[in-house]
């Protein structure tokens, strides 16, 4: 629905209506003024416009993996870039700018751990899955946690951390 709105309705409306749509999408709902313009210029009913807003939100959520509350935070953190992403999506249908914003926000949420903290990271209940997700195979033999690093073989966890063979970070 969002793509058909972008391709079929937006080309028929005035630039001022498009600006109004962009501003309203930032606020999360269409204003009465924008709805009036879209009903007049674009032939859209109020019900259809509500569905369009939901379709755009679903499109951005699917593209970024963020829920609407997280997108609200993203907007608060960088309104200019968020507004540009909305404008790009309305003009081209692309969510690439939203994906870039989400990737940057996600990367900024990771904090590198110090060597001492990383050495004890194996005690976390998430540790085995995190290693598997990183393509590293953990083993626990003789009371020592080791990882099988492709091309290097089995290395004790503490040695891998101290030698800088692995980088450990925390999300949050």
């Amino acid at each position: 629905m969002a793509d058909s709105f972008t391709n079929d309705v937006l080309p028929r409306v005035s630039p001022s209506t498009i600006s109004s749509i962009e501003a309203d999408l930032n606020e999360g709902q269409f204003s009465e003024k924008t709805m009036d313009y879209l009903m007049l210029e674009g032939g859209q009913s109020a019900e259809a416009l509500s569905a369009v807003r939901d379709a755009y939100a679903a499109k951005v959520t699917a593209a970024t993996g963020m829920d609407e509350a997280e997108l609200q935070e993203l907007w608060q953190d960088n309104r200019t870039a968020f507004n540009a992403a909305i404008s790009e999506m309305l003009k081209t249908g692309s969510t690439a700018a939203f994906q870039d914003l989400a990737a940057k926000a996600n990367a900024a949420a990771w904090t590198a751990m110090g060597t001492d903290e990383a050495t004890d990271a194996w005690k976390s209940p998430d540790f085995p899955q995190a290693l598997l997700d990183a393509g590293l195979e953990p083993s626990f033999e003789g009371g020592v946690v080791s990882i099988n690093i492709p091309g290097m073989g089995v290395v004790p966890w503490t040695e891998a951390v101290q030698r800088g063979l692995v980088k450990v970070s925390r999300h949050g």
Side-chain angles (χ1 to χ4, degrees), residues 98-153:
F98 281 109
Q99 291 168 322
D100 289 345
L101 281 172
K104 288 175 185 170
N106 191 38
W110 288 92
T111 309
M113 290 182 178
T115 303
D116 291 340
E117 192 177 11
T119 301
D120 289 335
W122 66 271
K123 296 176 184 174
S124 166
D126 299 327
F127 182 75
Q129 187 60 49
L131 285 178
L132 293 173
D133 290 347
L136 302 173
E137 183 182 326
S139 66
F140 191 77
E141 294 180 24
V144 176
V145 176
S146 299
I147 53 173
N148 187 355
I149 300 175
M152 297 196 74

Side-chain angles (χ1 to χ4, degrees), residues 62-134:
T64 62
M66 300 176 114
D67 63 27
E68 288 196 42
E70 292 168 315
L71 289 169
Q72 179 71 22
E73 283 183 39
L74 195 61
W75 176 69
Q76 292 291 340
D77 292 342
N78 194 344
R79 290 180 187 207
T80 302
F82 196 93
N83 294 348
I86 286 174
S87 183
E88 178 183 312
M89 182 176 63
L90 285 175
K91 291 174 185 160
T92 68
S94 172
T95 56
F98 281 109
Q99 291 168 322
D100 289 345
L101 281 172
K104 288 175 185 170
N106 191 38
W110 288 92
T111 309
M113 290 182 178
T115 303
D116 291 340
E117 192 177 11
T119 301
D120 289 335
W122 66 271
K123 296 176 184 174
S124 166
D126 299 327
F127 182 75
Q129 187 60 49
L131 285 178
L132 293 173
D133 290 347

Side-chain angles (χ1 to χ4, degrees), residues 20-21 23-32 34-35 53:
S20 190
I21 293 168
D24 288 355
L25 285 175
N26 282 320
E27 298 301 320
Q29 63 184 3
F30 288 123
S31 68
E32 189 174 319
T34 301
M35 291 181 69
R53 184 259 172 225

